[in-house]
Structures are given as structure tokens and as C-alpha cells.
Amino acid sequence: MIRIQNLCKSLYGGGHEVKIIDTLDLHIPAGQFIAITGPSGSGKSTLLGLIAGLDSPTTGRIFLDDKDITLMDENQLARLRGQKVGIIFQNFHLIPTLTALENVSIPYELNGGNHSEAKAKDLLNAVDISHRLNHYPSQLSGGEQQRLAVARAFINNPKLILADEPTGNLDSVNSHIIIELLEKLHNQHGVTLVLVTHELDIASKAQRVIGLEDGRIVSDSAS
């Protein structure tokens, strides 16, 4: 599903190069649930953004389903994300002027899907907030907003879910609810799930745990 070859991401400031991702190689098979851990500044979120095509590497190649996304332009990347990738952010990234139902429906409609309302209702039911479908994000708790974000990520039947610290703004109870939801949906839909987290108890739920430090892989439980 994901193949990363000799990946580097550097930033430049004050005449110096800072390597955020440093010569990284990684293979993630289809259907695997993988957690990426490491201290702040280790490159976890940068790596996820590169896999999503939201950022460009300095050097190296990233393949999703055998397609080299580093060769794609912005329009091609947007189409790829719409068709194959669901993204869950720490800060939810919901549209405040749309209801819960509309927030989940809109990516499906933009991707040309029909009967979006029925599909969105099914997903809202799957994440246990069907009773809140006509509420706006500001009327929802943090846990409910993240459940909504999870439902939205699955609406286009993606092959890949990328979750960047999805429990970072939640208390421990809601954190475990979100991880259990992701586990359930991962199993039901057979998606590849890549989860960035600094919480080791959450990482332990994954089938495989990758440890990053200074942009390099320092541990891999699959090894």
C-alpha cells in the first residue's frame, strides 16, 4: 500500500539545513494498522503530511498503491486524496457553518457520490452520534467533534486512513472511545490505518509500532 524510498525533508534557516526526515525507508502493507511514535520534533506529523501529499519531500519517493505521488501535481494529489485517502486531524478541521450531517456528506458529494445523506447517516450511526446530525460543530463536545471527523474520513471508502494525533485534544475517556472506533472501522472496512501518537498506550493498540527520532526510524516492532 505505502512504499517510501530514501525520503528526506529539510528546512533551511540562518544558512543552515535542518533535516526533519532523514533518509527514511518504509513499507506498509495494505490493511495494516500502524502507529508512529516519537518525541516532539521527531518528524511524525511531517511524515504523515508527506504520505498524504500535503507536503513535498526534498528528495526521495513515496508510492501509494504503486503510484509515485512525488511526481503528481496539486490537482492529481487532490483527486488521489478524494478517492483513496481519509485524513483525521488533531484539531478536527470541521466546517463551522455546516451541520454534522453536512460536514460528513460534503466530501462524498465533491467526489461525485450519490445518496450522500443516507451514507453519511450510516457513518454517523457507526460512530454513535446519529442523534446529533443536525447540530453544528460548536454545539458538539470535543469527543463528538472527533467522532464526526472520523465519520468524514471514511465517507469516500478510502483505502488509507491517516490520523495525526487524533486524541491529542481529548481526555482519556474520549481518547479510548476514538481509538476503539478507529479499530472497529479499520477491521470493518479493511483499510490501511497510519496513526501518529505520542501516547504509548494508544500505540500499543496497533499491529505494528514505528519509533521515530530525529527524522529516522529507530524501532520497528515488525522487525
Side-chain angles (χ1 to χ4, degrees):
M1 177 63 190
I2 302 171
R3 250 185 324 125
I4 297 173
Q5 298 176 342
N6 199 35
L7 190 69
C8 295
K9 177 65 178 180
S10 297
L11 298 176
Y12 297 86
H16 298 285
E17 177 187 15
V18 178
K19 288 190 175 181
I20 310 301
I21 300 293
D22 188 1
T23 322
L24 189 145
D25 293 282
L26 181 63
H27 176 243
I28 302 172
Q32 191 170 68
F33 175 12
I34 178 174
I36 299 175
T37 66
S40 295
S42 60
K44 304 186 300 297
S45 293
T46 298
L47 177 58
L48 210 69
L50 290 167
I51 294 171
L54 297 171
D55 196 3
S56 300
T58 305
T59 58
R61 305 174 77 184
I62 302 170
F63 295 86
L64 297 186
D65 261 0
D66 294 322
K67 292 182 174 64
D68 188 347
I69 70 168
T70 62
L71 301 178
M72 294 182 180
D73 62 29
E74 288 301 321
N75 289 332
Q76 291 171 318
L77 287 168
R79 280 196 298 273
L80 179 76
R81 285 191 292 269
Q83 295 167 359
K84 295 189 176 183
V85 183
I87 306 175
I88 303 166
F89 300 95
Q90 179 177 345
N91 293 320
F92 317 136
H93 286 207
L94 301 170
I95 301 173
T97 55
L98 298 183
T99 65
L101 182 62
E102 291 165 339
N103 263 285
V104 175
S105 298
I106 196 166
Y108 192 61
E109 293 170 358
L110 291 173
N111 208 37
N114 296 317
H115 310 295
S116 62
E117 185 172 304
K119 187 171 176 63
K121 284 180 177 178
D122 286 343
L123 278 166
L124 288 168
N125 185 57
V127 300
D128 298 321
I129 54 169
S130 57
H131 60 295
R132 304 286 256 160
L133 58 88
N134 290 317
H135 289 73
Y136 293 92
S138 63
Q139 297 171 308
L140 304 178
S141 69
E144 288 171 332
Q145 289 186 65
Q146 195 59 297
R147 291 190 210 188
L148 178 56
V150 169
R152 180 185 58 188
F154 278 86
I155 190 70
N156 283 328
N157 299 315
K159 291 185 175 183
L160 172 64
I161 294 288
L162 303 173
D164 189 5
E165 297 276 10
T167 62
N169 285 331
L170 305 178
D171 59 32
S172 60
V173 172
N174 278 302
S175 292
H176 284 96
I177 288 171
I178 292 299
I179 294 304
E180 286 173 5
L181 276 174
L182 285 171
E183 281 187 285
K184 180 182 79 171
L185 291 169
H186 163 256
N187 291 326
Q188 287 178 349
H189 295 261
V191 300
T192 306
L193 172 59
V194 182
L195 169 73
V196 162
T197 183
H198 64 276
E199 299 177 62
L200 295 181
D201 60 328
I202 288 174
S204 69
K205 305 285 187 182
Q207 297 164 330
R208 178 183 177 191
V209 181
I210 298 285
L212 285 189
E213 190 171 317
D214 297 326
R216 293 177 177 238
I217 295 174
V218 295
S219 62
D220 185 345
S221 65
S223 300

